[in-house]
Amino acid sequence: MAEMTCADPKPSVDAWLNLRPMRNPPHVNLDVVLLEHHGALQIVDVGEAAVGEGGHEPDALPGALDSRLATFNLHDPAGDRVREAQAAALVDRIAVVVGTPPIALPSAGLSRRKAARGGGARRERGRKAETAMDVVLCDELVQEILRRLPSADAPSVSLVSKRWLFLLRSSTTSLSLSVPPNLPNSPSLSSILAHYSFLSELTVVSNRKEEEEAEGGADDLLFAIASAACSRRLTRLRFIPAAPVSPSALQSSATAFASLTSLQIASLFPLSFCWLSSLPFLKRFSLVRSRPKRRLTQEPFPDNDDSGGKNPIVMLPMESLSLSGIYATDRGVSWLWRRCGNLRWLQLRACEGTGECASSLAFPLCLPGLLGLELRTCRSIADRILLLAADRCRDLTSLLLYDGGSRDALHHFIQRRGAALHTLDLRLPLDLHNDHLFAIAVENGYNSDRLRRHWLSSLRLHSCCLVTGDGLRSLALSPAGAAIEELALVNCDVVERESGLLTFLSQSMQRLRRLDLSHNETLTDKEVGSMLASCRNLVEIRLKGCRALTGDSLNSLLKHRGKQVQLLDISRCPAIGNEAIEKFATNASRLCQLIIEEDKLTEAARAWVSRKAIKIG
């Protein structure tokens, strides 16, 4: 490998990456959180006032700057020492990567007299080392390095120098903001976003009571985002204000968000979706519609539905749609249903209807192209949608149904579309019976519409009290059951009632790779151990909330599948001891993620998972 000295010209990014490959993923996700703490405002992203030119202590801080730092609560002496140590450690690591001497950063809290007492030679060496690395590292290369650093290093990077702070902000592509109530001397949303002109993903959450009380509060916040320089680069926006945003504000700001491909908003009033036609690249839209606390008296926004045939209906490019809280009397939804012919995934949450009469008649128009359908707590409309999906959704491969749907409607759907499903996720405590599983297990060989064989790869059952072992055994012995790679029996009484059922399922489902047995509180070590001996391809197992399990289950898992398991969830399992966890973590050779409480890890286990880059939680 060729060595590069300070006298060499600055290399290109590609040349440096070939010489010095990085291990960290190529993205940075910086969270800037504004929090009210003891009457002051704290900002995770440290501003330019914290460091002087080139990372050294400024000669003097003006009084206004001192008061600003006190207001923002950024210069706590103890916190300074921690952040300075982190910044120095970070720069030393990067100096090793680029082949320059380590940098000795002087402390920002150290007085000039104390720094001089330590010897000018040491400070001079630090400045020369820093200058050497600045000569070698062009802006483009530093930005590429910063993109590959984990987000936890962002506060340390911002303390290195003004140059690095600027480059960090220029490298940040994803930002999360929590906007507090108005406080004296607090920065505005526009002033914060002005530093991040290259954002592609933005999340803004606001809990201001003023927005709920004053009309247009959420609109003003949206206009502030639209006026920022980064707005035209944004591809994903999550906008969660305390008050509803108006369709007129969304229409007015649509030109600033022309590049959006994903949009989530908390509440919309009045309910109208005409502004969606002004976002030409929007693929995913989510409305988390919570009813406003006070009664709003705005006039209905014009729907402009061209269903009369005067103008041709232009389909939206939207492929994914999630709506919450839609009522049977809501107007304005028909415009959306008529233009969702390209829809591939639909989610309805806590909906009591699909809109008023015209909207209800237009709803089936969005179904033919669906690949995935989710109905969560939509009991009043679940039967109708299931019957429509059985007739119209010829390509449907995924169904999620929680807390809704009658026994007959679900049975009809499974008979018509069950053979083509890849994923079936059901939480129906009193509506799921064995006959539904028998319907899935029926050997009809082919789907009558597409001539495709059974390809059920994921079956998830939650709190299904009326399902027995006969239904599960019948499914496991069928072609549909033999293809299952993911099985979830969460809080299912049958797991605890019928001894030997898990062993039978694991022996019959030879392709099983992911297993979720969470919240079966009386599940025993013996049942788990017997099952694990037969799960030859198991790579993920979740045992969250299985309170009766002890360290013997981990020993069985290590014995039978210790060389292949990659994810283990044993959170809320108080009977599993620290020593068993440490033994498993240090001996499972392919473990990538361990979901467990932090206090259950011993110091040795913590050091091991850190060294092996095993994700915790």
Side-chain angles (χ1 to χ4, degrees), residues 196-213:
Y196 302 92
S197 55
F198 294 95
L199 290 178
S200 60
E201 300 181 12
L202 176 63
T203 298
V204 177
V205 180
S206 174
N207 295 314
R208 293 183 174 183
K209 292 183 179 179
E210 309 91 82
E211 293 176 10
E212 298 181 9
E213 298 171 356

Side-chain angles (χ1 to χ4, degrees), residues 23 584-593 604-616:
R23 293 185 178 181
F584 179 83
T586 55
N587 289 278
S589 56
R590 299 191 62 185
L591 186 64
C592 298
Q593 184 175 2
R606 198 182 305 275
W608 178 265
V609 299
S610 176
R611 185 163 63 251
K612 293 295 183 178
I614 299 173
K615 184 179 179 181
I616 302 297

Side-chain angles (χ1 to χ4, degrees), residues 74-92:
L74 289 177
H75 256 216
D76 173 59
D80 275 349
R81 288 192 292 272
V82 173
R83 287 193 292 269
E84 290 159 8
Q86 292 174 343
L90 176 66
V91 174
D92 286 346

